[in-house]
Amino acid sequence: MRLTILPLAIVTVAVYFLEPSTGLMKVIVDFDRWEHINGSDIFNMDKLRVRKFNRTLSVLNGTGILLIDLSDKYEYGLSFSRSAQGNSQYDAYPMKIASRPFCEFIKTHYREYQDYFLNFTNLPSVTEEGLCPFPKGEYWVKDAFIDSSKIPIVVPEGFWRAQTELRIIDTGEIVARGAMYVKLTKEYV
């Protein structure tokens, strides 16, 4: 019986995914820290901290205050960079959540991902109609962690920085910036 390349490839892939000793992996994401870089006239994030929850998990806790209502006068987005060796030499990574006018960002990206974080915070739930302007107020976060199962296995290991930027649309001026740092590792299961 002669094997062709296609069935052999299918068998190889099936064995790879079905036999744990041959390479089934899981992603582990651990918070390192949150930095509030600028924009203290818009956000007060002084009480936001990362702490160890248990031996294997760090969580985000604290309170942030939004000092103004955010409308479509602003645009918001996230960009990602990676330090493969953990030496603070971050290289831009071609993965981001594109900047959009703030109300559109809330109606699309925020609403799409809100199920990941609404259990940990008092941020408002957003419906299909959106939420504009996003109301100023005091927002807390309690024992928030990143669900590692949502991270694709193809994302490489290393130290990651997710940087947020809030800009005035008319001038392009960055009025607030923050960064969240995490460590991503993989292990065989």
Side-chain angles (χ1 to χ4, degrees):
M1 184 165 117
R2 184 172 173 235
L3 286 175
T4 63
I5 292 177
L6 184 58
L8 184 59
I10 292 171
V11 168
T12 303
V13 170
V15 167
Y16 179 79
F17 286 109
L18 296 176
E19 176 59 41
S21 64
T22 60
L24 191 58
M25 300 184 94
K26 83 174 186 180
V27 175
I28 301 165
V29 180
D30 195 30
F31 277 117
D32 183 36
R33 68 185 185 278
W34 166 263
E35 287 182 358
H36 183 183
I37 299 167
N38 71 338
S40 57
D41 54 334
I42 297 174
F43 297 102
N44 179 343
M45 307 294 265
D46 293 340
K47 296 180 181 174
L48 202 59
R49 300 282 183 266
V50 172
R51 73 173 181 86
K52 269 312 225 186
F53 183 74
N54 61 31
R55 192 172 55 83
T56 61
L57 181 67
S58 294
V59 294
L60 188 64
N61 279 301
T63 302
I65 301 170
L66 178 58
L67 301 169
I68 63 170
D69 290 335
L70 292 175
S71 66
D72 275 343
K73 172 183 174 184
Y74 302 95
E75 70 178 9
Y76 187 77
L78 285 100
S79 60
F80 297 88
S81 53
R82 175 178 170 256
S83 173
Q85 299 171 348
N87 58 1
S88 296
Q89 304 272 328
Y90 286 90
D91 296 317
Y93 201 76
M95 175 174 69
K96 66 180 179 177
I97 298 178
S99 291
R100 291 189 172 181
F102 198 82
C103 293
E104 186 181 330
F105 184 92
I106 294 298
K107 189 175 180 178
T108 57
H109 298 311
Y110 176 95
R111 192 168 78 72
E112 182 179 343
Y113 296 106
Q114 69 185 345
D115 293 337
Y116 298 151
F117 57 82
L118 285 181
N119 293 333
F120 309 120
T121 182
N122 68 334
L123 286 167
S125 178
V126 175
T127 63
E128 283 186 35
E129 292 80 39
L131 176 65
C132 194
F134 194 88
K136 65 182 176 181
E138 192 169 299
Y139 298 104
W140 54 262
V141 60
K142 175 97 170 119
D143 295 337
F145 63 93
I146 297 172
D147 182 357
S148 299
S149 69
K150 307 296 184 193
I151 309 295
I153 194 72
V154 296
V155 175
E157 290 182 298
F159 294 85
W160 286 84
R161 175 178 63 199
Q163 189 162 324
T164 64
E165 287 186 350
L166 183 70
R167 296 177 184 266
I168 298 176
I169 289 181
D170 293 341
T171 65
E173 175 190 1
I174 297 173
V175 292
R177 185 181 293 154
M180 179 178 61
Y181 294 83
V182 300
K183 181 180 179 185
L184 189 144
T185 56
K186 297 176 183 177
E187 70 179 27
Y188 290 102
V189 290

